[in-house]
Amino acid sequence: VLVIMCVQLFCLFNTSQISCIQSCFKSDGRILQRSKRGWMWNQFFLLEEYAGNDHQYVGKLHSNMDKGDGTVKYVLTGDGAGTLFLIDEKSGDIHATKRLDREEKAMYTLHAKVLDRSTNAELEPDTEFNIKIHDINDNEPKFAREIYFASVPEMSEVGTSVVTVTATDADDQTYGNSAKLVYSILQGQPYFSVDSENGTIKTALPGMDREVKENYQVVIQAKDMAGQMGGLSGTTTVSITLSDVNDSPPRFANHSFRVTAVESTEIGGAIGHIKADDPDVGRNAEMEYSIVGGHDTFNIITDQTTQEGVIVIKKALDYESKRDYEFRVEVKNTYLDARFIHGLQFKDYATVRVTVEDVDEPPVFTRNPYIIEVHEDTAAGSFVGVVSARDPDADNKYSIDRHTDLERLFNIDSVNGTITTLKALDREMSKWHNISVVATEINNPRQTTRVPVFIKVLDVNDNAPEFAMSYDTFVCENVKAGQLIQTISAVDTDEPLVGHKFVFSISPTNPNFTIVDREDNTANIVTRRGGFSRREMNMYFLPVVISDNDYPIQSSTSTLIVRVCACDSRGNMQSCNPEVLPFSDGLTTGALVAILLCVIILLMIVVLFAALRRQRKKEPLIISKEDVRDNVVSYNDEGGGEEDTQAFDIGTLRNPEVMDANKLRRDIIPEMLFPFRRTSPIKDNTDVRDFINGRLQENDSDPTAPPYDSLATYAYEGSGSLAESLSSLESAATEGDQDYDYLSNWGPQFKKLAEMYIGRNLN
């Protein structure tokens, strides 16, 4: 074996390896050791790089039975026989048909037989032998990843391990240096180094600061053949990140901040932000802000998202009271690294100045709400209370929201806020009055504030006590003196502070009944005598005086009606109706007076009725004995003549003055059938006019005239006819003085009339 290894090593490092290997196997295909059967060698060697080149010769099998006369045949079986490996049947030479890769299969096991060519009989038992593929450096080192990611804390000491990267080589690990790797760093110096044997990357430079440079790209090479010339190599990239440590304290870029706040900012509202810078990240950059020594008006809180200090209001600002504030703010890290706190202060300070800006504020009432007490029955204009609102920007004026004071019971002084009464208040009507007072800024009416004012009406003893209920009281005819007939009680709408205390009495002293005060706001009505009679008096009216004990004392008199009733022996009422007594027994004075009053009332009613009936009678319009009435004939159609005898309505008579005014009397119901057409009255009719006017004045001035409209029309007859009036009232004193010749000119309709009057005149 040692000889074989020496030969292999010699051939491996010889420049002419092929010839060397071939020469090693060309001595009849045998090596130094024979098989146990004595006819062949049991192992052949073949370099993987050259196997399969033009049917590369592997070795030779030879049996002692082979005399060289061609009677022996060699047969090969096993791994790759007939495909990868071929044998010459006559000579026993073995060849490889293609290139073999040790990394795929390092050794092949085959079996050889020696047969008689003619009979195929085995001349020798088969034997097993191996063909071993000898390794060459044909595989470069390979890393598992093309790129690795790793991190190391910043400020780490030199030699701090970062990550280990390992490459693999498919070549034979047990043979030669083909798989012996050496690691080196191609990129990443002088920051990092690598262990040449195991590939561990370490820090090589002290004080690497993440805030200066955070990411590094390191290239690592793995080379086989122990790093010698001619060896194969592989590389990988390692991305190294410096992880943060809290080595940097927070610092304010500006140590003075100015913030402006509006005075109307609500409590808890933010007015500004300040921020310190910390180059660290994550929890190493978390900061906490605080006001040095605290402050009664402001506070600062930390926004965990932005790491800002938020200044908020703790107490309401007032521009008129104080306009400028100044305080000191401290910032520090919430997490500290013990390795870096020595000699370094991880906190910083800044000064904050706050300026308050003025705003137009609405008035502010000094109290909210107001509760005011006032006694009832105070006179109108009495003082109730005062409300006050403060507005430093301008003056205010006050008013009452009338929607809350619909009855207009109160008034307020618009300047000083004094509330007074407009009407007297009554506690028994309403004990509380809830109104709203509005304060309005004079310069800006839109700035208003309202406040509720609750006015409590205090009780005054202004109501007298009275019976608590209506009592139905009776006394038996057979009652005895000292008998209780009724218990009474009282109520009072007032509410005294110490409670009600009523006093009952009968005034003046009553001979029939008396009252006993029970000292519990009730009293008993007791008889003072016995033997009441319904015949003498069936009902008694008992005045009871009830007084309270408040100031001023109020009292009232309530009448208790006591009926006299018939009762049984036990005092149970049977009947309270008065008995029917015989007339002979006589009537009482009261009954006689009542009857007399009834008779007088009946007589007055009769007299009044008769007077009314007389007033309704209407006197005749003409009462003179010398009155002469003519039959008035209406001629609606011209030329009707005497045959047209339709009576003319007396309503057609009209007063000339009414005609001139073209007006109708108020008590006239017009009954004209034709349009009114005025004709000139005859001048010689003063007697008729005087008569009518006289009667008109008498009728208008008659005090007995009925109080309703009546028809009393006075006018001239015949005003609607072209022939004017034909009445004798408008005629001359004698008929002979009248000229009727004009009738003949009126046409055939008046022919007969003309003949009558003209003929009569001629006679």
Side-chain angles (χ1 to χ4, degrees):
V1 175
L2 292 176
V3 173
I4 294 173
M5 292 180 62
C6 292
V7 173
Q8 291 175 346
L9 290 175
F10 172 77
C11 294
L12 182 64
F13 294 104
N14 196 300
T15 56
S16 58
Q17 296 179 3
I18 298 176
S19 59
C20 176
I21 295 298
Q22 291 176 350
S23 63
C24 291
F25 292 98
K26 279 186 177 180
S27 177
D28 295 332
R30 303 179 184 184
I31 309 184
L32 299 179
Q33 183 180 4
R34 296 179 60 85
S35 67
K36 63 181 180 178
R37 297 186 182 274
W39 69 274
M40 63 168 292
W41 301 100
N42 64 352
Q43 185 163 305
F44 296 90
F45 292 91
L46 181 65
L47 290 176
E48 61 175 335
E49 181 178 1
Y50 301 102
N53 288 338
D54 298 328
H55 294 276
Q56 177 67 39
Y57 177 78
V58 176
K60 183 180 181 64
L61 299 179
H62 183 74
S63 174
N64 294 331
M65 302 297 295
D66 185 3
K67 303 300 182 180
D69 55 2
T71 58
V72 176
K73 181 173 66 173
Y74 295 94
V75 178
L76 186 65
T77 61
D79 292 341
T83 56
L84 296 180
F85 301 101
L86 299 178
I87 189 170
D88 190 330
E89 295 180 353
K90 295 180 179 181
S91 63
D93 293 335
I94 301 174
H95 294 82
T97 62
K98 64 179 182 179
R99 182 181 183 278
L100 301 179
D101 190 358
R102 189 201 67 84
E103 284 72 36
E104 292 182 2
K105 193 174 180 67
M107 186 174 65
Y108 296 87
T109 301
L110 294 96
H111 295 269
K113 293 181 181 182
V114 179
L115 302 178
D116 187 288
R117 181 177 298 275
S118 59
T119 61
N120 287 330
E122 292 185 1
L123 300 179
E124 288 188 27
D126 62 345
T127 184
E128 180 181 275
F129 68 96
N130 297 325
I131 299 178
K132 185 176 181 181
I133 308 301
H134 200 72
D135 182 46
I136 63 173
N137 189 20
D138 61 344
N139 291 280
E140 72 276 5
K142 292 184 179 180
F143 290 93
R145 302 177 186 174
E146 293 183 0
I147 184 169
Y148 289 84
F149 295 94
S151 65
V152 63
E154 63 174 331
M155 298 296 176
S156 296
E157 297 179 356
V158 175
T160 301
S161 176
V162 179
V163 67
T164 299
V165 292
T166 303
T168 58
D169 196 326
D171 293 327
D172 191 356
Q173 301 286 336
T174 62
Y175 179 76
N177 293 326
S178 297
K180 186 176 182 181
L181 305 180
V182 175
Y183 297 92
S184 62
I185 183 168
L186 301 182
Q187 177 182 329
Q189 295 175 333
Y191 305 103
F192 299 95
S193 63
V194 63
D195 190 313
S196 61
E197 295 183 359
N198 55 25
T200 300
I201 301 174
K202 301 178 181 180
T203 58
L205 191 66
M208 288 191 294
D209 192 353
R210 186 198 66 84
E211 288 74 31
V212 177
K213 186 176 182 181
E214 183 177 5
N215 297 311
Y216 296 85
Q217 299 293 329
V218 178
V219 177
I220 302 298
Q221 180 190 65
K223 190 174 183 181
D224 59 10
M225 297 297 293
Q228 297 179 5
M229 294 292 294
L232 302 179
S233 64
T235 61
T236 186
T237 301
V238 182
S239 178
I240 301 176
T241 302
L242 296 183
S243 60
D244 185 58
V245 297
N246 192 12
D247 60 338
S248 299
R251 290 289 183 263
F252 285 109
N254 185 2
H255 288 80
S256 179
F257 295 89
R258 183 170 294 275
V259 179
T260 301
V262 179
E263 66 172 330
S264 60
T265 304
E266 298 180 354
I267 295 177
I271 61 172
H273 299 73
I274 62 174
K275 191 176 189 310
D277 297 325
D278 191 334
D280 295 324
V281 294
R283 72 169 184 170
N284 296 323
E286 292 179 357
M287 294 174 282
E288 181 180 8
Y289 298 85
S290 61
I291 297 178
V292 178
H295 202 279
D296 58 347
T297 305
F298 301 98
N299 189 20
I300 188 168
I301 59 178
T302 304
D303 188 333
Q304 298 298 333
T305 303
T306 63
Q307 293 299 312
E308 291 180 325
V310 183
I311 302 174
V312 297
I313 301 294
K314 287 175 58 178
K315 187 174 69 175
L317 303 177
D318 188 2
Y319 173 83
E320 289 71 26
S321 299
K322 190 173 182 179
R323 304 180 183 181
D324 296 296
Y325 297 87
E326 181 176 327
F327 50 87
R328 199 174 183 210
V329 174
E330 178 188 82
V331 60
K332 62 182 180 181
N333 283 129
T334 57
Y335 168 76
L336 299 178
D337 193 332
R339 296 176 297 172
F340 304 100
I341 61 177
H342 301 290
L344 190 62
Q345 189 176 14
F346 278 78
K347 61 177 63 176
D348 199 9
Y349 300 91
T351 301
V352 179
R353 294 177 177 86
V354 179
T355 301
V356 181
E357 289 186 348
D358 186 29
V359 295
D360 189 7
E361 302 167 297
V364 178
F365 283 95
T366 57
R367 292 162 54 191
N368 188 1
Y370 285 86
I371 300 177
I372 301 175
E373 294 181 348
V374 61
H375 286 86
E376 65 175 330
D377 295 338
T378 55
S382 299
F383 174 81
V384 175
V386 178
V387 297
S388 176
R390 184 182 65 87
D391 190 345
D393 302 315
D395 294 331
N396 307 321
K397 62 179 180 179
Y398 302 93
S399 62
I400 295 178
D401 186 354
R402 291 304 175 185
H403 292 90
T404 62
D405 185 23
L406 298 176
E407 298 180 359
R408 300 185 69 86
L409 299 176
F410 303 96
N411 189 27
I412 189 170
D413 190 297
S414 61
V415 177
N416 56 30
T418 300
I419 301 175
T420 56
T421 58
L422 289 175
K423 300 178 182 178
L425 305 179
D426 188 358
R427 189 200 66 85
E428 285 69 38
M429 295 295 295
S430 180
K431 298 180 181 180
W432 286 90
H433 297 279
N434 303 331
I435 64 174
S436 291
V437 174
V438 181
T440 305
E441 188 176 306
I442 295 178
N443 297 334
N444 187 3
R446 292 179 298 180
Q447 294 287 3
T448 62
T449 305
R450 62 178 58 234
V451 66
V453 179
F454 303 116
I455 300 175
K456 181 179 180 181
V457 182
L458 301 178
D459 185 41
V460 173
N461 192 28
D462 58 347
N463 293 279
E466 58 186 11
F467 280 152
M469 57 182 294
S470 178
Y471 295 101
D472 184 13
T473 306
F474 69 93
V475 61
C476 296
E477 290 182 314
N478 56 355
V479 72
K480 297 180 180 180
Q483 183 70 41
L484 172 65
I485 62 172
Q486 183 68 58
T487 299
I488 60 175
S489 62
V491 292
D492 193 341
T493 55
D494 294 322
E495 292 183 359
L497 296 177
V498 296
H500 291 291
K501 176 61 179 175
F502 301 125
V503 178
F504 301 89
S505 63
I506 297 177
S507 179
T509 304
N510 192 293
N512 301 312
F513 305 98
T514 186
I515 190 167
V516 178
D517 196 335
R518 300 178 60 182
E519 302 295 333
D520 60 353
N521 292 335
T522 62
N524 293 334
I525 305 298
V526 181
T527 59
R528 300 190 67 178
R529 66 179 181 88
F532 290 87
S533 176
R534 284 179 293 166
R535 295 182 179 180
E536 295 179 0
M537 182 76 68
N538 66 340
M539 187 178 298
Y540 292 90
F541 297 92
L542 182 62
V544 178
V545 179
I546 309 174
S547 304
D548 56 23
N549 65 336
D550 206 352
Y551 180 83
I553 296 176
Q554 299 287 341
S555 62
S556 66
T557 301
S558 300
T559 301
L560 183 67
I561 300 176
V562 182
R563 296 181 298 161
V564 180
C565 302
C567 303
D568 57 13
S569 59
R570 296 182 179 180
N572 297 323
M573 181 183 64
Q574 293 180 339
S575 175
C576 293
N577 296 325
E579 297 180 355
V580 180
L581 302 177
F583 184 77
S584 59
D585 291 343
L587 296 176
T588 62
T589 303
L592 292 176
V593 172
I595 293 173
L596 181 59
L597 289 176
C598 292
V599 172
I600 294 174
I601 292 173
L602 289 175
L603 290 176
M604 292 178 65
I605 293 174
V606 172
V607 172
L608 181 60
F609 181 79
L612 292 176
R613 290 294 300 272
R614 289 183 62 186
Q615 289 181 358
R616 293 179 182 177
K617 293 182 180 181
K618 182 178 180 182
E619 293 184 357
L621 298 176
I622 302 176
I623 60 176
S624 174
K625 294 181 180 180
E626 299 178 357
D627 182 25
V628 178
R629 301 189 182 183
D630 292 340
N631 185 26
V632 180
V633 180
S634 174
Y635 295 92
N636 293 332
D637 295 330
E638 183 179 357
E642 293 179 349
E643 294 179 358
D644 188 1
T645 60
Q646 180 180 357
F648 190 81
D649 190 353
I650 192 66
T652 58
L653 297 178
R654 300 174 182 268
N655 191 323
E657 295 179 0
V658 177
M659 293 167 59
D660 292 340
N662 196 21
K663 296 180 180 179
L664 299 177
R665 286 172 58 92
R666 290 178 299 172
D667 55 353
I668 293 177
I669 301 177
E671 297 180 356
M672 295 180 61
L673 301 177
F674 302 98
F676 171 76
R677 184 166 61 185
R678 179 180 176 184
T679 58
S680 302
I682 302 176
K683 296 182 179 180
D684 297 335
N685 54 3
T686 56
D687 54 346
V688 177
R689 184 181 299 110
D690 293 340
F691 167 76
I692 295 176
N693 289 336
R695 293 298 178 268
L696 179 59
Q697 293 178 0
E698 291 177 1
N699 189 71
D700 289 342
S701 60
D702 186 5
T704 62
Y708 47 83
D709 294 339
S710 62
L711 183 62
T713 303
Y714 303 93
Y716 287 100
E717 178 183 1
S719 61
S721 174
L722 295 175
E724 297 183 352
S725 177
L726 301 180
S727 173
S728 60
L729 295 177
E730 297 181 357
S731 301
T734 62
E735 294 181 356
D737 298 335
Q738 181 68 35
D739 186 6
Y740 297 102
D741 292 339
Y742 58 84
L743 295 176
S744 59
N745 298 327
W746 287 1
Q749 293 89 345
F750 294 91
K751 180 178 180 181
K752 187 173 183 62
L753 183 61
E755 291 177 355
M756 290 175 58
Y757 281 88
I758 295 175
R760 187 170 56 181
N761 290 339
L762 293 176
N763 294 331

